[in-house]
């Protein structure tokens, strides 16, 4: 995989956001170190990684994150940069790299997540997918969120699953667990179990999308 994607990448550790392949993430960049990072990315291949910090305000991050490509950007008059990041493939962090930049860089490996590059997942049992969609609609309704399911259904299965994993009203830790689940079939099973728990947990009514 290294000949397709860089093994050393800049990383944006963003609390509360778990980023998945085949999804789009708009970001409002205003902190100087990340402005520097985005400017450097734009000059290059426009690739950067997103990862979840383990504890707010702590440098420690989870081992698995997602590589994204900046597909659009806009500079504002007050010095911010608005970007759209398109998820490509997950990575596993090997180590942090010392560098003279304000932002952090890591050495990463993509070998566990080659399946993210598939455009379709035709081997997924249809019943499992249909059951997951039914449960998802119930959980969104229970939490008072509206989704255009007709438009959503136009996405391919892998795109639908990753988008559900990213936007479903569950905890950040549950989303990180999904990010670390390697196959789409296993991700369906895991997300289905998480939704079952949240549907039957009265506290879930108080949760909001992370």
């Amino acid at each position: 995989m290294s000949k397709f994607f860089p093994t050393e990448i800049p990383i944006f550790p963003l609390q509360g956001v778990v980023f998945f392949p085949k999804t789009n993430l708009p970001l409002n960049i205003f902190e100087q170190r990340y402005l520097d990072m985005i400017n450097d990315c734009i000059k290059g291949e426009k690739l950067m990684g997103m990862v979840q910090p383990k504890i707010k305000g702590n440098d420690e991050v989870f081992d698995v994150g997602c590589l994204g490509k900046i597909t659009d950007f806009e500079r504002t008059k007050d010095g911010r940069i608005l970007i759209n990041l398109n998820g490509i493939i997950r990575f596993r962090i090997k180590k942090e790299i010392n560098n003279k930049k304000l932002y952090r860089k890591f050495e990463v490996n993509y070998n566990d997540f080659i399946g993210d590059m598939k455009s379709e997942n035709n081997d997924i049992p249809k019943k499992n997918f249909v059951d997951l969609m039914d449960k998802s609609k119930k959980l969104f309704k229970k939490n008072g969120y509206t989704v255009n399911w007709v438009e959503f259904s136009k996405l391919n299965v892998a795109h639908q699953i990753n988008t559900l994993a990213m936007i479903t009203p569950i905890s950040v830790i549950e989303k990180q667990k999904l990010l670390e689940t390697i196959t789409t079939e296993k991700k369906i099973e895991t997300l289905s179990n998480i939704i079952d728990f949240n549907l039957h947990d009265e506290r879930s009514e108080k949760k909001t999308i992370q």
Side-chain angles (χ1 to χ4, degrees), residues 6-48:
T7 55
E8 296 183 4
I9 59 173
I11 293 283
F12 187 0
L14 184 58
Q15 189 75 37
V17 176
V18 183
F19 183 46
F20 287 80
K22 298 181 174 67
T23 65
N24 290 292
L25 178 65
L27 290 170
N28 176 13
I29 310 298
F30 55 87
E31 192 175 342
Q32 188 58 53
R33 56 179 165 171
Y34 298 123
L35 289 170
D36 290 351
M37 184 181 76
I38 298 303
N39 281 320
D40 287 348
C41 288
I42 290 171
K43 293 174 187 175
E45 297 180 328
K46 299 181 173 64
L47 297 172
M48 57 180 277

Side-chain angles (χ1 to χ4, degrees), residues 191-203:
L191 181 53
S192 182
N193 290 337
I194 289 171
I195 290 176
D196 276 338
F197 174 80
N198 282 271
L199 280 172
H200 294 93
D201 182 3
E202 293 180 358
R203 294 172 298 174

Side-chain angles (χ1 to χ4, degrees), residues 94-210:
K94 295 178 69 176
K95 65 180 180 180
E96 185 162 4
I97 300 168
N98 292 326
N99 74 94
K100 296 180 180 179
K101 302 288 187 179
L102 294 175
Y103 57 85
R104 302 169 72 184
K105 296 186 74 173
F106 288 80
E107 182 180 344
V108 300
N109 187 291
Y110 307 94
N111 292 342
D112 290 341
F113 306 107
I114 294 173
D116 290 349
M117 301 308 296
K118 287 184 179 181
S119 59
E120 294 288 347
N121 290 85
N122 297 320
D123 54 339
I124 296 172
K126 185 176 180 180
K127 183 181 183 302
N128 295 2
F129 176 68
V130 172
D131 287 347
L132 174 63
M133 292 305 299
D134 287 343
K135 292 177 183 179
S136 298
K137 291 174 183 178
K138 290 177 183 177
L139 184 61
F140 275 84
K141 184 176 181 180
K142 180 179 180 179
N143 283 272
Y145 298 113
T146 302
V147 175
N148 186 332
W149 295 110
V150 174
E151 288 299 315
F152 189 86
S153 67
K154 294 178 182 179
L155 304 174
N156 68 46
V157 171
H159 195 165
Q160 288 187 57
I161 298 304
N162 283 326
T163 302
L164 277 179
M166 190 170 176
I167 70 171
T168 296
I170 56 179
S171 73
V172 170
I173 295 301
E174 288 168 325
K175 291 181 182 183
Q176 182 66 32
K177 182 178 180 180
L178 291 168
L179 186 70
E180 297 178 10
T181 302
I182 293 177
T183 67
T184 301
E185 185 173 0
K186 184 65 177 177
K187 199 179 296 177
I188 289 175
E189 178 186 340
T190 303
L191 181 53
S192 182
N193 290 337
I194 289 171
I195 290 176
D196 276 338
F197 174 80
N198 282 271
L199 280 172
H200 294 93
D201 182 3
E202 293 180 358
R203 294 172 298 174
S204 68
E205 295 178 2
K206 299 179 182 179
K207 292 181 180 179
T208 58
I209 291 181
Q210 300 295 320

